Structure formats: C-alpha cells, structure tokens
Amino acid sequence: MSTKHSFQAEVAQLLHLVTHSLYSNKEIFVRELISNASDACDKLRFEGLNNAALYEDAPNLEVRVAFDKAAKTLTITDNGIGLSAQEAIDNLGTIAKSGTREFMGKLESQKQSDAKEQGALIGQFGVGFYSGFIVADKITVESRRAGLAASEGVRWVSTGTGDFEVDAIERPARGTSVTLHLREDALDYASAWKLKGIINKYADHISLPILIQKEEWKEGEDNKGGEMVTTDVWETVNQASALWTRPKKDVSDEQYTEFYKAVSRDFEPPLAWSHNRVEGSTEYTQLLFIPSKAPHDLWNREKRGGVKLYVKRVFIMDDAEALLPVYMRFVKGVVDSADLPLNVSRELLQESRDVKAIREGNTRRVLSMLEDLAKSEDQAQKDKFASFYAEFGGVLKEGLGEDFANRERLAKLLRFSTTSSDAVSVSFADYKARMKEGQEAIYYITAETLAAAKSSPQLEVFKKKGIEVLLMTDRVDEWALGFMNEFDGTPLQSVAKGAVDLGTLQDEAEKKAAEEAAETFKPLLAKLKEALKDKAEDVRVTSRLVDSPACLVVQDGGMSNQLARMLKQAGQSAPDTKPVLEVNTEHALVKKLEGSVHFHDLAHILFDQALLAEGGMPADPAAYVKRVNALLA
Ligand code: ADP
Ligand code: MG
C-alpha cells in the first residue's frame, strides 16, 4: 500500500534551509502548526455552510496539543477539514507559494547574519508546515478528510530529506494529527508549561479552543526526586474568542501585535492599528494594521490585498481585495461583516453595496490613521510617519490616480525631497508656506535618482534665484502627479515641461534680455532646427539655464522623456514625441556655434549631451562618440 514520493525540488531545498538555518527561532513551529489547524477548521466551517453533514459527528471544532516524553513526541491534532491521500501528496510535498524561491535566496545570503533578520524573513514568507522540521527529525501526519469514509485515511511520513512516504490507514476521526518526533536538542518542547507559554504568545487570538494535556508533579519513591507527568485531563489554554470581537479595552498591545503577526505573517510588529465597530446602515468590525516594513512584492499590483473577510465570525476568505482600494494593498487585518450573506463569492463582493460602504469606511480609516501620525506633535509618532512614508509613500501616490474622492487628503500626506532638503519630508503645505514673494506655482522635477534630479540643468535658474523645487524620484511620481493640477489653489508646474514662465519672479530687464536674445539668435535657431529636425520638435532660447549650454524639455501636457523611457524599458508603448531643445545663448559653446565649420557635428553633440545630462541615451551612441572624438583630435 505504501508509496514513496519525492519532494518538489524547492521543498527539498527549503527543508535543507529550515533544518540548517532556523534553529535560532525554533518556537515558531508552534505558531505555524496551530495556524494550519485553525485554517483547517475554518475550511470545514466554510464547506459546512453548504453541507452540514460534514461535521455533524463532531461539531465542536478544536485543537489538541499532546506530548509524550518517553516517546519524545509532540502531537497537534485538529478536527478540521482533513486531507485526502491526494491532498496530502500535493499539499505536503510542494510549495504553491510564489515568493518561496526568493525567500530561500534571501535566507541563503543571510546565513551569517543574525537570528532576528532570519526570523523576519520567515515571518515574511512563512515556511508553514515545514517549520516542524526545525525541532523534529521525523514527522508523521495522519489525516482523514471530512466526508470520506474511515477507511480512507492517510498516513504521511518523512524525515525531511529527499522524500516522503504515504500509506492508506483506517482513521475514524475526521481531521489531522501532526506528530513531531523531537530532536534531542528540542526535547524541552514536550512540556505543558513551555507550550502554554508559546501558545499564549502566538495563538491566544485563535477563535477555537486549544487544549493541552495537564501535567502534575509526582513525587519520587521515598520522597527522592520526582517529575512532571502528563495526565488525562485537558485544559483550554487560550481565550478562544476571535480577538476582533473583544472590546478594545480588553485587548493589550501585545495581543494586537501577535494577532497582527499571525494574520500578516510578518515578523515585525505593526506600525499602527485601528480597531472599530462600525454601526449604521452597514454594520461591521474592522481591525486594520499598517505594517512597519514593505513586503518584497509591494509593487505587484496584481497582488491581492491583505484583509481577511469574516461574516458573523465565520471565516469567508483571505485577501478580500474588494475591501480596500489597490493602492492600500499594504494594509493587513480583518473585517467581520454582520450583513453579507455567508455564501458570498469574490464576484459578488465586487458588486455588493455593503462591500462598497465597507471599502470606503476602511479607506477613510487608513487615511485618518496616517493623518494622526503625520500631524502628531509627539516625535515618536512623527518618526513612525516618516518610516511609513519611506516604506509605502510610493504606493500611496497611486491613490492620486485611483481614488478621486480622497485626492485632497492624500495630497496632504505626500512628502518630497527638495532643492533645499534631501530628506523626504517636505509637504506641499510646507512648500507653499515658504514660497518666494511673487511665486505663482509649485515647481517640481521628476528624475530617476535624487542625484540626477539635483543636477538637472533645468534647475539652474531656480537655484540662481533661490526658488525651491520639489525633487521627485519615485517611479510613480510622473504618472501620479499627472492627476494633480494644483494644490490648495496653487498650480503645479514641472520645470522640465513647457516654456519657463517665472512670472513675476523675473524682472523687466531679464524679460527684455530674453526677448532680445530670441531675436538676435533667430538665424542660429533656424539652422539648429534644420540640422536636428529628426531629433527635436523645436529649438528655442531659454532663460532656465545658467551653466549648461542646452537642455531638453517636453511640450506642456506632454509625457516627460523620463516616463517615456521607463515605459519603453517596461516593454510598454510610449508616444514617440520629440523633445524641444532649449539653448542658453549666454553659453560660450552656443556663441561659438554660429560660424563654426563643425556646425552640424556640434549641433548633434549639443542635443545628445542634453539627453545624457538628464539620464537618457543618444539614439546612436557610437555616432556621438565619433563626433566628440573627431573634435577632440
Ligand atoms: P499554508 O498554511 O500557508 O497554506 P503550510 O505550509 O502551512 O502553508 O501548509 C501547506 C498546506 O498543507 C496547507 O495549505 C494545507 O492544504 C495543508 N495542511 C497543513 N496542515 C494541515 C491541517 N492541519 N489540516 C489540513 N490541511 C493541512
Ligand atoms: Mg500554514
């Protein structure tokens, strides 16, 4: 009957890492196995909604933790959904999760580093069931799926090396027991006292009872020695009520933190949370957390949000993306609705009016959590906001394009570096408050890096005049800022788009000089335009440059060169619009152009250098090099 199976290559690799790297944070296996037991009970309850017969025989769902010191085993038993033989082979022999390979790579590279880091990684990816091998050199799983006959039980055994064995067994009880054959250095886990401590720490919020065998002190013969012995009495060691159903005042910060770690699979404590019962036309409980650290796949917009949906305390689904907008996909937590039907599907969620109300309520709640941190006078809270922003500021900006209703609130939360502050700490309001007298716009520039932004030729005149410019270096900036024409009545103006209009910041003499230059250099501009007709839309005189001979700008309303480059790199189509070349007629190079015999080459060098200066690449780099070399020689 017995069949042998090989682990999927990734699992074998993972197991190797688990047993060789995770020894420093052993106890997490308790959390993982109890969470699997609890998931199994959730699944049974969920399937039971349409098929009550599934658990009529044993309706009280629970987890039992037993241990046997003599046999050196620890067994975690649940009466949840169970596994069929095929499910045991599939689910305990492969890793379905995509981030795992990445996880293993990271763990490998951190072998030398400290336990905390490794723990953080495990938290982020969760090694789940396989964490049992941290403390066990052999694991036996016995299970029977709800609804199958007693004769259709399965035994799965593995020593955590290349393969596992599967047998058919007789198993009257529905559900799963996982028996860990403890390693010599992990025998101390066969202790009620120790296990209780760990369960309280990691699993107190689990909504089903976790029972553990009571131990008793037994005196030795003739009052010599003595030892703890297990009894047949079971005691419930957790509160067994879903944490979010308890009143706020009865839940400690530690409990919230552990609950967060369990729902988010994060090792770090959360940055902030908010727990509320919302009443009114739609009734629900929300418990939302903002993580401290961004996950590795934060930028994957396909990724589902991290909020679990319960309906009247029955678990319905993980990652119910309809409960938050995409740009808040970093938020974790639980929503428990009193109004939705138990058989609600993902499709139905998209259409439900209650869900819409919940999503709006959640969105507003997250915004107000962030606002509270941002405007707090308390330095610790302020630091939290800065740290939130460093991790998630980029995704928040997506909201400008996605969530019109909250655009103003979002805009107030944004922070930037500027020409006078490297720290990403300046809000639009801060900027406005220190605008120069006569300044009519909020100026900004987008670039790929802070260094590139700071050395943009387009900034020269602003620097000279001491006008602050916001430096935007997030990939989403260009796109997101496209949705904001103004902030609090002041228009936003990219310094790399359109003609510079410094308005009243330019005095009459300067304006006049610019007009005159445009007139004087008309013939030169025409010649340049002709020479560069394949590259530049137009050539004009500018007053935005001080030290550089030329720069590129895009027409007002056009897509910046930087964004166009990014889109092309990402394999997307971007309009092939040509930039405008602006020249600084004060510059020696430009003055020299006029009568030069090398006019044609110089014109192209001027253009290509302007492109290089903003981080672009000449269309024909070899031709550029040839031209420069010809002049150098
Ligand atoms: P995850 O829980 O994130 O899915 P795990 O590695 O913890 O990953 O578990 C892998 C799979 O094994 C689960 O998805 C489930 O299908 C199955 N499994 C593990 N423990 C149990 C259990 N106690 N009862 C039923 N199925 C289980
Ligand atoms: Mg799990």
Side-chain angles (χ1 to χ4, degrees), residues 71-107:
K72 302 179 182 171
T73 59
L74 172 61
T75 303
I76 296 177
T77 304
D78 65 71
N79 55 0
I81 192 76
L83 293 155
S84 66
Q86 193 55 48
E87 284 169 333
I89 293 168
D90 292 344
N91 300 344
L92 304 179
T94 55
I95 299 174
K97 279 168 278 179
S98 58
T100 308
R101 196 184 281 275
E102 196 183 336
F103 159 70
M104 292 188 290
K106 282 200 181 169
L107 199 59

Side-chain angles (χ1 to χ4, degrees), residues 176-450:
T176 306
S177 46
V178 177
T179 300
L180 306 174
H181 304 267
L182 296 170
R183 294 171 191 277
E184 285 302 320
D185 64 357
L187 292 180
D188 52 335
Y189 286 98
S191 142
W193 177 79
K194 176 145 186 158
L195 287 168
K196 264 198 252 178
I198 303 174
I199 293 168
N200 274 322
K201 178 163 163 201
Y202 292 120
D204 188 47
H205 59 270
I206 297 260
S207 56
L208 67 165
I210 302 170
L211 294 102
I212 194 162
Q213 254 176 313
K214 258 193 163 160
E215 272 184 313
E216 238 171 42
W217 182 254
K218 189 171 157 245
E219 294 293 343
E221 303 279 302
D222 309 327
N223 281 348
K224 265 192 291 183
E227 59 175 343
M228 294 297 284
V229 292
T230 48
T231 67
D232 293 336
V233 184
W234 291 85
E235 65 174 322
T236 303
V237 292
N238 64 332
Q239 294 204 30
S241 72
L243 179 128
W244 65 89
T245 61
R246 304 180 203 160
K248 256 194 247 194
K249 63 172 179 25
D250 294 347
V251 185
S252 69
D253 287 0
E254 288 72 29
Q255 286 170 323
Y256 278 121
T257 300
E258 281 313 321
F259 180 74
Y260 163 75
K261 288 180 181 175
V263 290
S264 67
R265 318 191 110 277
D266 190 355
F267 180 80
E268 302 273 339
L271 194 74
W273 63 82
S274 182
H275 181 189
N276 312 282
R277 276 197 63 84
V278 182
E279 278 159 10
S281 56
T282 305
E283 286 188 17
Y284 59 100
T285 299
Q286 64 182 181
L287 173 51
L288 302 174
F289 294 91
I290 296 176
S292 321
K293 289 270 177 304
H296 61 105
D297 55 356
L298 179 66
W299 290 101
N300 178 4
R301 284 177 51 89
E302 301 298 302
K303 200 188 146 197
R304 291 189 159 140
V307 176
K308 286 181 197 280
L309 175 65
Y310 285 75
V311 172
K312 300 184 194 77
R313 274 163 236 183
V314 176
F315 169 77
I316 305 295
M317 69 181 76
D318 272 324
D319 306 339
E321 67 273 24
L323 299 178
L324 277 171
V326 179
Y327 76 96
M328 287 188 175
R329 59 188 173 277
F330 55 87
V331 174
K332 307 282 177 191
V334 166
V335 163
D336 192 342
S337 157
D339 304 316
L340 291 170
L342 283 162
N343 62 356
V344 67
S345 64
R346 285 196 195 270
E347 292 66 41
L348 266 172
L349 282 184
Q350 302 296 345
E351 289 153 22
S352 154
R353 275 179 48 211
D354 287 317
V355 171
K356 191 162 176 277
I358 296 175
R359 178 170 57 237
E360 284 167 3
N362 285 346
T363 306
R364 284 194 300 268
R365 178 64 59 185
V366 173
L367 288 174
S368 60
M369 280 160 85
L370 295 174
E371 286 160 356
D372 288 347
L373 292 178
K375 64 172 187 244
S376 170
E377 292 298 320
D378 177 6
Q379 192 57 40
Q381 299 294 94
K382 279 190 180 152
D383 291 347
K384 278 190 181 176
F385 184 75
S387 130
F388 161 80
Y389 202 81
E391 295 288 323
F392 302 107
V395 248
L396 202 62
K397 288 178 194 159
E398 291 176 9
L400 293 179
E402 226 172 273
D403 186 358
F404 300 156
N406 290 304
R407 198 181 285 161
E408 270 176 42
R409 287 178 77 178
L410 278 165
K412 286 183 186 156
L413 288 170
L414 301 187
R415 300 291 182 269
F416 304 96
S417 310
T418 77
T419 40
S420 43
S421 154
D422 274 0
V424 185
S425 61
V426 180
S427 68
F428 283 122
D430 297 336
Y431 180 98
K432 266 196 77 167
R434 54 196 197 216
M435 274 182 8
K436 285 233 145 170
E437 173 121 11
Q439 184 178 342
E440 283 154 2
I442 296 172
Y443 294 108
Y444 70 93
I445 186 162
T446 55
E448 268 161 79
T449 62
L450 187 60

Side-chain angles (χ1 to χ4, degrees), residues 7 11 14-20 22-23 25-36 72-76 92 122 126-141 156 158-161 177-187 189 195 265:
F7 283 118
V11 179
L14 178 66
L15 282 168
H16 182 83
L17 282 166
V18 163
T19 46
H20 290 85
L22 306 187
Y23 42 78
N25 195 11
K26 286 202 185 99
E27 65 186 30
I28 59 145
F29 80 90
V30 177
R31 172 187 78 194
E32 296 295 331
L33 297 183
I34 289 185
S35 114
N36 283 351
K72 302 179 182 171
T73 59
L74 172 61
T75 303
I76 296 177
L92 304 179
I122 305 162
V127 288
F129 171 76
Y130 304 103
S131 64
F133 286 106
I134 304 174
V135 293
D137 48 24
K138 183 169 125 185
I139 298 182
T140 307
V141 179
W156 177 104
S158 176
T159 56
T161 44
S177 46
V178 177
T179 300
L180 306 174
H181 304 267
L182 296 170
R183 294 171 191 277
E184 285 302 320
D185 64 357
L187 292 180
Y189 286 98
L195 287 168
R265 318 191 110 277

Side-chain angles (χ1 to χ4, degrees), residues 531-553:
L532 297 170
K533 64 175 184 289
D534 294 335
K535 291 181 172 173
E537 184 65 40
D538 193 8
V539 181
R540 63 189 181 214
V541 171
T542 184
S543 51
R544 76 176 97 213
L545 298 175
V546 178
D547 304 316
S548 302
C551 70
L552 299 176
V553 294

